[in-house]
Amino acid sequence: MEVKNAHFLMSNSDVTKCPDPNKPEFAFIGRSNVGKSSLINMLTGQKKLAKTSSRPGKTQLINHFVINDSWYLVDLPGYGYAKVSKKSKEKFQAYIVDYVLKRENLYCLFVLVDCRHEVQKIDLEFINWLGEKEVPFALIFTKADKLSNTNLAKNIASYKAELLTHWEELPPLFVSSSESGLGKEDILEYVDQFI
Ligand code: GTP
Ligand code: MG
């Protein structure tokens, strides 16, 4: 799929105020600073579409973008960011939980994990919760440019092995780099089959 146009539509913290669910929707979630907003910019080819920051906790709302006038792409706040979690006292903010469970046109939630790290407890908890709730999801390993091919392959293999101790089968998996553009075609092709 070619992204011909992409524009920002709205931000909010209430799933009932999101745009009409009249287009297939794909959302990006994961720990703060994992690279969600950067990936959205890479996929759309617009460097400043989603706001990024080297400091975690940048994205704080549910942000809707319209792609090719035919599908919604959503940038979500990260989880696991101490300052935010402490304030709200919940691991996963209530409006994110609401969004994930109630957004009827959500075709796939892309869960991003940093390819440099071992499986993190909070990611596993989140993924297991998605499985329990039967939310369709896929995994994206981010920041692939930060590892050698050998270490990348090693980390992904151990991540898969860990997931298979909890799950009978693996979800769809992608590897990405917002720096090099790795993963762009595969992720957009995956989205394309639904729209
Ligand atoms: P929150 O909105 O705070 O939850 O973070 P986020 O997941 O949206 O992360 P964001 O895209 O803002 O990126 C965080 C930092 O990681 C920024 O400094 C990015 O430049 C950097 N970054 C993101 N993706 C990549 C990548 O693929 N490669 C490299 N080298 N750096 C990346
Ligand atoms: Mg962000």
Side-chain angles (χ1 to χ4, degrees):
M1 183 206 313
E2 197 191 330
V3 173
K4 294 192 188 100
N5 56 73
H7 64 266
F8 171 73
L9 190 62
M10 64 163 83
S11 296
N12 69 80
S13 60
D14 180 349
V15 67
T16 64
K17 293 184 185 138
C18 285
D20 278 348
N22 55 4
K23 293 177 176 55
E25 185 155 311
F26 300 84
F28 293 78
I29 199 162
R31 296 202 314 144
S32 282
N33 213 42
V34 71
K36 300 174 291 294
S37 303
S38 303
L39 180 65
I40 286 167
N41 294 342
M42 186 272 268
L43 292 175
T44 56
Q46 287 191 31
K47 282 201 171 120
K48 293 193 171 152
L49 190 64
K51 288 186 187 131
T52 65
S53 167
S54 56
R55 286 169 54 212
K58 178 70 181 170
T59 310
Q60 284 302 327
L61 292 165
I62 301 167
N63 299 290
H64 274 80
F65 301 90
V66 187
I67 314 297
N68 294 346
D69 303 315
S70 60
W71 55 282
Y72 290 126
L73 188 161
V74 177
D75 190 14
L76 294 168
Y79 52 71
Y81 176 49
K83 256 191 195 165
V84 173
S85 310
K86 244 184 223 162
K87 237 189 281 165
S88 67
K89 293 216 175 72
E90 295 289 337
K91 208 171 272 173
F92 307 118
Q93 285 155 285
Y95 67 91
I96 300 300
V97 169
D98 246 23
Y99 168 83
V100 170
L101 296 181
K102 294 185 184 156
R103 189 66 174 157
E104 60 198 88
N105 57 333
L106 181 63
Y107 278 54
C108 179
L109 183 64
F110 288 101
V111 180
L112 277 58
V113 294
D114 190 321
C115 72
R116 295 171 297 174
H117 304 148
E118 287 181 0
V119 180
Q120 308 274 302
K121 193 165 162 248
I122 193 162
D123 290 325
L124 206 52
E125 275 176 25
F126 189 72
I127 292 168
N128 286 341
W129 177 73
L130 292 178
E132 224 171 82
K133 300 292 180 190
E134 299 183 347
V135 177
F137 72 95
L139 271 189
I140 302 181
F141 293 96
T142 63
K143 308 194 185 184
D145 57 282
K146 296 215 178 206
L147 286 181
S148 67
N149 285 343
T150 317
N151 284 336
L152 181 64
K154 214 194 292 171
N155 281 12
I156 291 175
S158 73
Y159 209 102
K160 283 182 181 172
E162 171 73 25
L163 285 182
L164 286 171
T165 65
H166 300 266
W167 290 72
E168 273 173 29
E169 44 181 317
L170 293 170
L173 294 174
F174 301 93
V175 182
S176 76
S177 164
S178 302
E179 293 285 310
S180 74
L182 178 74
K184 181 175 179 172
E185 273 180 32
D186 288 349
I187 296 166
L188 289 176
E189 208 173 284
Y190 185 75
V191 168
D192 205 15
Q193 66 175 327
F194 296 102
I195 55 180

